[in-house]
Amino acid sequence: MAVRLMVVDDHRLLAEALASALKLRGHRVLASAAPAAGAADLVIARAPEVCLLGTAAPAEPGAFDPVVKIKRERPQVAVVVLGPVPSPRGIAAAFAAGASGYVRHDERIEGVERALLKARAGEAAVAPQLLQEAFAELLNPAAQPDDEAQRLLSVLTPREVEVLVRVADGEDTRVIASGMRIAPSTARTHVQRVLMKLGVGSRLEAAALAARTGLLDRAGGRRARSEDDTSEKQ
C-alpha cells in the first residue's frame, strides 16, 4: 500500500518533517521541496502517484496555479492540498484547479496518510461536509470578491469583531483579556474562533486577510457602533 509521493510546502522544515514521517510509515517519498518557481516543474519531472502540496493562503489569487500546471502536464498525478482551516471558497478553488483532496495543517499523520491513499485510489480526499460546502460554492457562488469583507464579517459576533480589531492592532492574549475585561482563557477561545471562522491558521494571517479585503475598516466601524449601543444602554 506504499504511495510514491512528493511533498511540497511553503515551509521547507515542514516539508522535510512530513517526508520523514511518511517514509517511516513505509511510503516512498521522491523529494520534498518548497514551492518556489520550479516546484510544479519538479513534480512534473518526477511524476509521483500523489503530490502533497502545502499552502499557507488558499484564498490568495494564484494559490493553486501549481495544481493547474501539474494536472495539465501530468493528469495522472493526484494532488492533495495541505492548508489552514479552509473556507468553502478555498476548498472550491482547490478542487476547481484539479486537486483530489484537502487536508488541514493540524491533521494527524494518520489522517494525512489516509488522504494520500484515497487520492491515489481516485477518491475525494476531504471530509464529506467540507466537500459538500465546496461544491455548493462552485455551483452557487455566494459573494463577489468585493463582497468578501462583508461575507466574512457576517460570520463574526460583535465580541469576535472586537477581538479581530485587537489582534490586527498587535495585542497579545493578555492585553486583549485586560482590554475586554475577560479571562485570558476566554480571550484565547475568542481568538481561536475568529481564526476558524475566517479560515486562517494564525493571527498574522487573520490580520492580513482583514486588511486585504477591507474587513478591518468595516470591523472598526461595526465595533464603534457596538460600543455606542453599549454606552446608550448604560
PDB file of all heavy atoms in Angstrom, residues 12 18 29 34 48 62 65 82 86 90 113 120-121 124 127 133 165-166 169 181 188 196-197 200-201 204 218 222 226:
ATOM      1  N   ARG A  12      10.088  24.767   4.254  1.00  0.00           N
ATOM      2  CA  ARG A  12      10.934  23.614   3.951  1.00  0.00           C
ATOM      3  C   ARG A  12      11.025  22.652   5.129  1.00  0.00           C
ATOM      4  O   ARG A  12      11.021  21.427   4.941  1.00  0.00           O
ATOM      5  CB  ARG A  12      12.336  24.090   3.552  1.00  0.00           C
ATOM      6  CG  ARG A  12      13.249  22.962   3.085  1.00  0.00           C
ATOM      7  CD  ARG A  12      14.545  23.499   2.521  1.00  0.00           C
ATOM      8  NE  ARG A  12      14.308  24.263   1.311  1.00  0.00           N
ATOM      9  CZ  ARG A  12      14.191  23.711   0.098  1.00  0.00           C
ATOM     10  NH1 ARG A  12      14.248  22.392  -0.023  1.00  0.00           N
ATOM     11  NH2 ARG A  12      13.990  24.460  -0.956  1.00  0.00           N
ATOM     12  N   LEU A  18       7.359  16.181   7.206  1.00  0.00           N
ATOM     13  CA  LEU A  18       6.309  15.324   6.656  1.00  0.00           C
ATOM     14  C   LEU A  18       6.908  14.184   5.841  1.00  0.00           C
ATOM     15  O   LEU A  18       6.461  13.036   5.929  1.00  0.00           O
ATOM     16  CB  LEU A  18       5.369  16.148   5.783  1.00  0.00           C
ATOM     17  CG  LEU A  18       4.273  16.932   6.503  1.00  0.00           C
ATOM     18  CD1 LEU A  18       3.601  17.895   5.535  1.00  0.00           C
ATOM     19  CD2 LEU A  18       3.246  15.981   7.096  1.00  0.00           C
ATOM     20  N   VAL A  29       9.030   8.517  -0.663  1.00  0.00           N
ATOM     21  CA  VAL A  29       8.994   9.957  -0.893  1.00  0.00           C
ATOM     22  C   VAL A  29      10.108  10.313  -1.857  1.00  0.00           C
ATOM     23  O   VAL A  29      11.292  10.188  -1.548  1.00  0.00           O
ATOM     24  CB  VAL A  29       9.145  10.737   0.432  1.00  0.00           C
ATOM     25  CG1 VAL A  29       9.032  12.235   0.169  1.00  0.00           C
ATOM     26  CG2 VAL A  29       8.087  10.294   1.431  1.00  0.00           C
ATOM     27  N   ALA A  34      10.291  23.313  -1.199  1.00  0.00           N
ATOM     28  CA  ALA A  34       9.410  24.465  -1.030  1.00  0.00           C
ATOM     29  C   ALA A  34       8.867  24.854  -2.391  1.00  0.00           C
ATOM     30  O   ALA A  34       9.574  24.729  -3.390  1.00  0.00           O
ATOM     31  CB  ALA A  34      10.184  25.638  -0.416  1.00  0.00           C
ATOM     32  N   PRO A  48       5.193  11.628  -9.518  1.00  0.00           N
ATOM     33  CA  PRO A  48       4.795  10.730  -8.431  1.00  0.00           C
ATOM     34  C   PRO A  48       3.341  10.295  -8.608  1.00  0.00           C
ATOM     35  O   PRO A  48       2.630  10.812  -9.469  1.00  0.00           O
ATOM     36  CB  PRO A  48       4.955  11.612  -7.193  1.00  0.00           C
ATOM     37  CG  PRO A  48       4.635  12.981  -7.705  1.00  0.00           C
ATOM     38  CD  PRO A  48       5.216  13.047  -9.093  1.00  0.00           C
ATOM     39  N   GLY A  62      -4.002  32.895  -7.340  1.00  0.00           N
ATOM     40  CA  GLY A  62      -2.874  32.126  -7.847  1.00  0.00           C
ATOM     41  C   GLY A  62      -2.349  31.066  -6.911  1.00  0.00           C
ATOM     42  O   GLY A  62      -1.360  30.397  -7.234  1.00  0.00           O
ATOM     43  N   ASP A  65      -2.219  27.762  -8.732  1.00  0.00           N
ATOM     44  CA  ASP A  65      -1.638  27.701 -10.078  1.00  0.00           C
ATOM     45  C   ASP A  65      -0.745  26.474 -10.263  1.00  0.00           C
ATOM     46  O   ASP A  65      -0.757  25.858 -11.342  1.00  0.00           O
ATOM     47  CB  ASP A  65      -0.851  28.977 -10.376  1.00  0.00           C
ATOM     48  CG  ASP A  65      -1.766  30.173 -10.656  1.00  0.00           C
ATOM     49  OD1 ASP A  65      -2.999  29.960 -10.756  1.00  0.00           O
ATOM     50  OD2 ASP A  65      -1.256  31.309 -10.760  1.00  0.00           O
ATOM     51  N   LEU A  82      -2.496  20.716   1.330  1.00  0.00           N
ATOM     52  CA  LEU A  82      -2.332  20.791   2.772  1.00  0.00           C
ATOM     53  C   LEU A  82      -2.396  22.265   3.154  1.00  0.00           C
ATOM     54  O   LEU A  82      -1.562  23.059   2.732  1.00  0.00           O
ATOM     55  CB  LEU A  82      -0.986  20.196   3.187  1.00  0.00           C
ATOM     56  CG  LEU A  82      -0.633  20.214   4.672  1.00  0.00           C
ATOM     57  CD1 LEU A  82      -1.509  19.231   5.435  1.00  0.00           C
ATOM     58  CD2 LEU A  82       0.837  19.885   4.877  1.00  0.00           C
ATOM     59  N   PRO A  86     -10.030  25.581   6.240  1.00  0.00           N
ATOM     60  CA  PRO A  86     -10.484  26.158   4.970  1.00  0.00           C
ATOM     61  C   PRO A  86     -11.859  26.800   5.029  1.00  0.00           C
ATOM     62  O   PRO A  86     -12.706  26.433   5.831  1.00  0.00           O
ATOM     63  CB  PRO A  86     -10.527  24.936   4.058  1.00  0.00           C
ATOM     64  CG  PRO A  86     -10.937  23.825   4.983  1.00  0.00           C
ATOM     65  CD  PRO A  86     -10.294  24.142   6.317  1.00  0.00           C
ATOM     66  N   GLY A  90     -12.127  28.425  -0.425  1.00  0.00           N
ATOM     67  CA  GLY A  90     -10.789  27.860  -0.576  1.00  0.00           C
ATOM     68  C   GLY A  90     -10.832  26.419  -1.048  1.00  0.00           C
ATOM     69  O   GLY A  90     -10.066  26.011  -1.925  1.00  0.00           O
ATOM     70  N   GLU A 113      -2.019  10.365   5.818  1.00  0.00           N
ATOM     71  CA  GLU A 113      -1.784   9.108   5.106  1.00  0.00           C
ATOM     72  C   GLU A 113      -3.081   8.588   4.474  1.00  0.00           C
ATOM     73  O   GLU A 113      -3.077   8.136   3.316  1.00  0.00           O
ATOM     74  CB  GLU A 113      -1.219   8.067   6.073  1.00  0.00           C
ATOM     75  CG  GLU A 113      -0.859   6.742   5.399  1.00  0.00           C
ATOM     76  CD  GLU A 113      -0.277   5.762   6.394  1.00  0.00           C
ATOM     77  OE1 GLU A 113      -0.759   5.708   7.553  1.00  0.00           O
ATOM     78  OE2 GLU A 113       0.660   5.045   6.016  1.00  0.00           O
ATOM     79  N   ARG A 120      -4.882   8.497  -4.286  1.00  0.00           N
ATOM     80  CA  ARG A 120      -4.288   7.566  -5.251  1.00  0.00           C
ATOM     81  C   ARG A 120      -5.347   6.636  -5.828  1.00  0.00           C
ATOM     82  O   ARG A 120      -5.274   6.236  -7.002  1.00  0.00           O
ATOM     83  CB  ARG A 120      -3.177   6.746  -4.599  1.00  0.00           C
ATOM     84  CG  ARG A 120      -2.447   5.852  -5.594  1.00  0.00           C
ATOM     85  CD  ARG A 120      -1.362   5.030  -4.956  1.00  0.00           C
ATOM     86  NE  ARG A 120      -1.864   4.068  -3.982  1.00  0.00           N
ATOM     87  CZ  ARG A 120      -1.111   3.153  -3.389  1.00  0.00           C
ATOM     88  NH1 ARG A 120       0.190   3.086  -3.652  1.00  0.00           N
ATOM     89  NH2 ARG A 120      -1.639   2.318  -2.510  1.00  0.00           N
ATOM     90  N   ALA A 121      -6.357   6.303  -5.023  1.00  0.00           N
ATOM     91  CA  ALA A 121      -7.422   5.414  -5.474  1.00  0.00           C
ATOM     92  C   ALA A 121      -8.471   6.138  -6.314  1.00  0.00           C
ATOM     93  O   ALA A 121      -9.448   5.530  -6.754  1.00  0.00           O
ATOM     94  CB  ALA A 121      -8.085   4.746  -4.271  1.00  0.00           C
ATOM     95  N   ALA A 124     -12.227  11.301  -3.517  1.00  0.00           N
ATOM     96  CA  ALA A 124     -12.082  12.655  -2.979  1.00  0.00           C
ATOM     97  C   ALA A 124     -11.567  12.554  -1.551  1.00  0.00           C
ATOM     98  O   ALA A 124     -12.225  11.981  -0.681  1.00  0.00           O
ATOM     99  CB  ALA A 124     -13.414  13.393  -3.004  1.00  0.00           C
ATOM    100  N   ALA A 127     -13.079  15.774   4.041  1.00  0.00           N
ATOM    101  CA  ALA A 127     -14.236  15.472   4.885  1.00  0.00           C
ATOM    102  C   ALA A 127     -15.528  15.723   4.111  1.00  0.00           C
ATOM    103  O   ALA A 127     -15.629  16.718   3.392  1.00  0.00           O
ATOM    104  CB  ALA A 127     -14.200  16.334   6.144  1.00  0.00           C
ATOM    105  N   GLU A 133     -19.834  21.589   1.054  1.00  0.00           N
ATOM    106  CA  GLU A 133     -19.785  23.046   1.042  1.00  0.00           C
ATOM    107  C   GLU A 133     -19.007  23.566  -0.159  1.00  0.00           C
ATOM    108  O   GLU A 133     -19.359  24.591  -0.750  1.00  0.00           O
ATOM    109  CB  GLU A 133     -19.160  23.550   2.339  1.00  0.00           C
ATOM    110  CG  GLU A 133     -20.013  23.289   3.574  1.00  0.00           C
ATOM    111  CD  GLU A 133     -19.301  23.691   4.847  1.00  0.00           C
ATOM    112  OE1 GLU A 133     -18.091  24.033   4.775  1.00  0.00           O
ATOM    113  OE2 GLU A 133     -19.925  23.676   5.913  1.00  0.00           O
ATOM    114  N   VAL A 165     -10.171  43.179  15.694  1.00  0.00           N
ATOM    115  CA  VAL A 165      -9.556  44.506  15.640  1.00  0.00           C
ATOM    116  C   VAL A 165      -8.341  44.567  16.560  1.00  0.00           C
ATOM    117  O   VAL A 165      -7.285  45.100  16.202  1.00  0.00           O
ATOM    118  CB  VAL A 165     -10.575  45.600  16.019  1.00  0.00           C
ATOM    119  CG1 VAL A 165      -9.892  46.960  16.114  1.00  0.00           C
ATOM    120  CG2 VAL A 165     -11.689  45.657  14.976  1.00  0.00           C
ATOM    121  N   ARG A 166      -8.473  43.992  17.742  1.00  0.00           N
ATOM    122  CA  ARG A 166      -7.361  43.997  18.699  1.00  0.00           C
ATOM    123  C   ARG A 166      -6.199  43.135  18.205  1.00  0.00           C
ATOM    124  O   ARG A 166      -5.022  43.501  18.375  1.00  0.00           O
ATOM    125  CB  ARG A 166      -7.842  43.513  20.076  1.00  0.00           C
ATOM    126  CG  ARG A 166      -8.781  44.501  20.770  1.00  0.00           C
ATOM    127  CD  ARG A 166      -9.263  43.972  22.115  1.00  0.00           C
ATOM    128  NE  ARG A 166     -10.155  44.911  22.785  1.00  0.00           N
ATOM    129  CZ  ARG A 166      -9.747  45.922  23.529  1.00  0.00           C
ATOM    130  NH1 ARG A 166      -8.446  46.117  23.728  1.00  0.00           N
ATOM    131  NH2 ARG A 166     -10.618  46.733  24.110  1.00  0.00           N
ATOM    132  N   ASP A 169      -4.364  45.010  15.723  1.00  0.00           N
ATOM    133  CA  ASP A 169      -3.577  46.064  16.358  1.00  0.00           C
ATOM    134  C   ASP A 169      -2.324  45.526  17.042  1.00  0.00           C
ATOM    135  O   ASP A 169      -1.542  46.298  17.612  1.00  0.00           O
ATOM    136  CB  ASP A 169      -4.427  46.807  17.403  1.00  0.00           C
ATOM    137  CG  ASP A 169      -5.448  47.738  16.755  1.00  0.00           C
ATOM    138  OD1 ASP A 169      -5.267  48.070  15.571  1.00  0.00           O
ATOM    139  OD2 ASP A 169      -6.422  48.115  17.437  1.00  0.00           O
ATOM    140  N   ARG A 181     -11.750  42.998  29.611  1.00  0.00           N
ATOM    141  CA  ARG A 181     -12.160  42.618  30.960  1.00  0.00           C
ATOM    142  C   ARG A 181     -12.705  41.199  31.007  1.00  0.00           C
ATOM    143  O   ARG A 181     -13.787  40.930  31.553  1.00  0.00           O
ATOM    144  CB  ARG A 181     -13.182  43.608  31.519  1.00  0.00           C
ATOM    145  CG  ARG A 181     -12.634  45.032  31.648  1.00  0.00           C
ATOM    146  CD  ARG A 181     -13.659  45.983  32.217  1.00  0.00           C
ATOM    147  NE  ARG A 181     -13.124  47.339  32.318  1.00  0.00           N
ATOM    148  CZ  ARG A 181     -13.809  48.382  32.753  1.00  0.00           C
ATOM    149  NH1 ARG A 181     -15.076  48.230  33.124  1.00  0.00           N
ATOM    150  NH2 ARG A 181     -13.248  49.570  32.812  1.00  0.00           N
ATOM    151  N   ARG A 188      -8.411  33.736  24.660  1.00  0.00           N
ATOM    152  CA  ARG A 188      -7.772  32.755  23.780  1.00  0.00           C
ATOM    153  C   ARG A 188      -8.825  31.993  22.977  1.00  0.00           C
ATOM    154  O   ARG A 188      -8.646  31.742  21.772  1.00  0.00           O
ATOM    155  CB  ARG A 188      -6.934  31.788  24.613  1.00  0.00           C
ATOM    156  CG  ARG A 188      -5.996  30.904  23.799  1.00  0.00           C
ATOM    157  CD  ARG A 188      -5.090  30.083  24.706  1.00  0.00           C
ATOM    158  NE  ARG A 188      -4.259  30.937  25.552  1.00  0.00           N
ATOM    159  CZ  ARG A 188      -4.405  31.070  26.866  1.00  0.00           C
ATOM    160  NH1 ARG A 188      -5.375  30.403  27.503  1.00  0.00           N
ATOM    161  NH2 ARG A 188      -3.620  31.862  27.560  1.00  0.00           N
ATOM    162  N   MET A 196     -10.811  30.335  13.127  1.00  0.00           N
ATOM    163  CA  MET A 196     -11.574  29.256  12.498  1.00  0.00           C
ATOM    164  C   MET A 196     -12.597  29.819  11.519  1.00  0.00           C
ATOM    165  O   MET A 196     -12.717  29.337  10.393  1.00  0.00           O
ATOM    166  CB  MET A 196     -12.271  28.425  13.563  1.00  0.00           C
ATOM    167  CG  MET A 196     -13.106  27.270  13.001  1.00  0.00           C
ATOM    168  SD  MET A 196     -13.972  26.356  14.291  1.00  0.00           S
ATOM    169  CE  MET A 196     -15.158  27.605  14.829  1.00  0.00           C
ATOM    170  N   LYS A 197     -13.328  30.850  11.943  1.00  0.00           N
ATOM    171  CA  LYS A 197     -14.380  31.411  11.094  1.00  0.00           C
ATOM    172  C   LYS A 197     -13.808  32.097   9.857  1.00  0.00           C
ATOM    173  O   LYS A 197     -14.439  32.109   8.797  1.00  0.00           O
ATOM    174  CB  LYS A 197     -15.227  32.390  11.895  1.00  0.00           C
ATOM    175  CG  LYS A 197     -16.146  31.710  12.915  1.00  0.00           C
ATOM    176  CD  LYS A 197     -17.038  32.725  13.620  1.00  0.00           C
ATOM    177  CE  LYS A 197     -18.010  32.053  14.562  1.00  0.00           C
ATOM    178  NZ  LYS A 197     -18.917  33.014  15.231  1.00  0.00           N
ATOM    179  N   VAL A 200      -8.296  30.836   8.582  1.00  0.00           N
ATOM    180  CA  VAL A 200      -6.856  31.076   8.581  1.00  0.00           C
ATOM    181  C   VAL A 200      -6.225  30.319   9.730  1.00  0.00           C
ATOM    182  O   VAL A 200      -6.910  29.858  10.649  1.00  0.00           O
ATOM    183  CB  VAL A 200      -6.540  32.586   8.694  1.00  0.00           C
ATOM    184  CG1 VAL A 200      -7.073  33.338   7.478  1.00  0.00           C
ATOM    185  CG2 VAL A 200      -7.119  33.184   9.977  1.00  0.00           C
ATOM    186  N   GLY A 201      -4.909  30.209   9.701  1.00  0.00           N
ATOM    187  CA  GLY A 201      -4.217  29.405  10.698  1.00  0.00           C
ATOM    188  C   GLY A 201      -3.432  30.179  11.725  1.00  0.00           C
ATOM    189  O   GLY A 201      -2.859  29.589  12.631  1.00  0.00           O
ATOM    190  N   LEU A 204      -1.443  36.395  12.359  1.00  0.00           N
ATOM    191  CA  LEU A 204      -0.876  37.195  11.270  1.00  0.00           C
ATOM    192  C   LEU A 204      -1.706  37.045  10.001  1.00  0.00           C
ATOM    193  O   LEU A 204      -1.989  38.021   9.300  1.00  0.00           O
ATOM    194  CB  LEU A 204       0.577  36.768  11.008  1.00  0.00           C
ATOM    195  CG  LEU A 204       1.324  37.554   9.930  1.00  0.00           C
ATOM    196  CD1 LEU A 204       1.401  39.023  10.305  1.00  0.00           C
ATOM    197  CD2 LEU A 204       2.729  36.975   9.756  1.00  0.00           C
ATOM    198  N   ARG A 218     -14.292  47.885   7.939  1.00  0.00           N
ATOM    199  CA  ARG A 218     -15.696  47.654   8.284  1.00  0.00           C
ATOM    200  C   ARG A 218     -15.835  47.162   9.722  1.00  0.00           C
ATOM    201  O   ARG A 218     -16.781  47.508  10.416  1.00  0.00           O
ATOM    202  CB  ARG A 218     -16.313  46.639   7.332  1.00  0.00           C
ATOM    203  CG  ARG A 218     -16.322  47.093   5.878  1.00  0.00           C
ATOM    204  CD  ARG A 218     -17.223  46.204   5.057  1.00  0.00           C
ATOM    205  NE  ARG A 218     -17.075  46.463   3.640  1.00  0.00           N
ATOM    206  CZ  ARG A 218     -17.826  45.908   2.706  1.00  0.00           C
ATOM    207  NH1 ARG A 218     -18.782  45.069   3.051  1.00  0.00           N
ATOM    208  NH2 ARG A 218     -17.631  46.182   1.428  1.00  0.00           N
ATOM    209  N   ARG A 222     -18.067  48.699  12.715  1.00  0.00           N
ATOM    210  CA  ARG A 222     -19.060  47.887  13.423  1.00  0.00           C
ATOM    211  C   ARG A 222     -18.759  47.853  14.913  1.00  0.00           C
ATOM    212  O   ARG A 222     -19.655  47.917  15.745  1.00  0.00           O
ATOM    213  CB  ARG A 222     -19.038  46.469  12.844  1.00  0.00           C
ATOM    214  CG  ARG A 222     -20.005  45.504  13.515  1.00  0.00           C
ATOM    215  CD  ARG A 222     -20.117  44.246  12.691  1.00  0.00           C
ATOM    216  NE  ARG A 222     -20.601  43.139  13.495  1.00  0.00           N
ATOM    217  CZ  ARG A 222     -20.766  41.915  13.046  1.00  0.00           C
ATOM    218  NH1 ARG A 222     -20.514  41.631  11.793  1.00  0.00           N
ATOM    219  NH2 ARG A 222     -21.190  40.942  13.823  1.00  0.00           N
ATOM    220  N   SER A 226     -21.126  49.202  17.954  1.00  0.00           N
ATOM    221  CA  SER A 226     -21.461  48.312  19.063  1.00  0.00           C
ATOM    222  C   SER A 226     -21.152  48.980  20.394  1.00  0.00           C
ATOM    223  O   SER A 226     -21.922  48.886  21.353  1.00  0.00           O
ATOM    224  CB  SER A 226     -20.671  46.999  18.931  1.00  0.00           C
ATOM    225  OG  SER A 226     -20.917  46.155  20.030  1.00  0.00           O
TER     226      SER A 226
END
